[in-house]
Amino acid sequence: KSIYGTANDGLEIYHDGTDSYINDTGTGGLIIRAANNIKLQTNTAELYLQGIKDGAVKLYYDNSEKLLTSSTGVNITGALSTTTNVEVGANATFVDNGKAQFGTGNDLQIYHDGSNSYIKDVGTGNLNILASTSINLLNGDSSDYMARFNDNGSNQFFYDGSKKLETLTDGAKVTGNLEVTG
């Protein structure tokens, strides 16, 4: 062993016949410094990790960059898989056709294709929308109702912001003309 520090309580560098070690046995932490960049790599120069002075930290899998830190956050190449909940403290942004997918078989999908937006149920069972008070469908700038569904109350359908059909306790009410064909 190469031992550094007083009373053999500092840093050890050694090989045990199978593995090689850099072992910090003293107080404090192990600090590795470089004037510019730090790279951890195999003996054939395959990268594991790269730290760039005043820049990114990169993590690799099989010499392929998978995680990159930047001044705006973190970029991930490939899938992100977790075994616990993921908390997003700000907006989650998806590119066109990038899907937020839920369920083991990606049964529920929410996405935008560049022209239209979708909430798509492709699994078994029903798509249920639950609300404790009401569900409101509004136009893009929230200035007009398209439909309102009230818990234990009336359901209403609108045309250009004007209520045209409303369910009541004893039936329904139509505002305007009712055309029946058949």
Side-chain angles (χ1 to χ4, degrees):
K1 291 183 181 181
S2 294
I3 300 173
Y4 306 88
T6 59
N8 298 331
D9 69 348
L11 177 66
E12 301 175 343
I13 300 175
Y14 63 95
H15 184 77
D16 69 359
T18 304
D19 298 309
S20 299
Y21 295 86
I22 299 173
N23 190 16
D24 177 15
T25 61
T27 59
L30 176 64
I31 299 169
I32 300 172
R33 293 184 177 175
N36 290 306
N37 303 332
I38 293 178
K39 294 180 182 180
L40 294 179
Q41 51 190 190
T42 67
N43 63 345
T44 60
E46 183 177 314
L47 282 167
Y48 298 130
L49 178 138
Q50 181 179 16
I52 301 168
K53 180 182 178 186
D54 299 327
V57 173
K58 300 177 181 183
L59 294 177
Y60 296 82
Y61 177 84
D62 195 20
N63 212 35
S64 176
E65 183 182 302
K66 296 298 176 184
L67 188 135
L68 167 73
T69 64
S70 69
S71 62
T72 59
V74 176
N75 295 322
I76 297 173
T77 301
L80 172 64
S81 177
T82 67
T83 57
T84 61
N85 293 337
V86 174
E87 293 185 26
V88 178
N91 295 331
T93 302
F94 297 87
V95 297
D96 286 345
N97 292 306
K99 296 178 180 179
Q101 300 184 117
F102 305 89
T104 303
N106 299 324
D107 299 330
L108 175 63
Q109 303 171 0
I110 301 173
Y111 63 98
H112 182 76
D113 69 4
S115 299
N116 299 296
S117 299
Y118 300 88
I119 299 173
K120 186 175 182 180
D121 177 14
V122 298
T124 58
N126 300 318
L127 173 62
N128 298 311
I129 301 173
L130 309 173
S132 60
T133 305
S134 65
I135 296 172
N136 298 319
L137 300 179
L138 296 106
N139 66 350
D141 65 4
S142 299
S143 62
D144 287 333
Y145 287 105
M146 295 172 11
R148 297 185 76 183
F149 305 94
N150 298 297
D151 184 34
N152 296 319
S154 70
N155 297 308
Q156 304 159 8
F157 296 89
F158 297 79
Y159 179 85
D160 196 21
S162 297
K163 188 180 352 172
K164 297 298 177 181
L165 176 66
E166 178 178 14
T167 61
L168 304 170
T169 304
D170 58 352
K173 175 182 176 184
V174 174
T175 302
N177 297 327
L178 176 63
E179 183 179 327
V180 179
T181 60

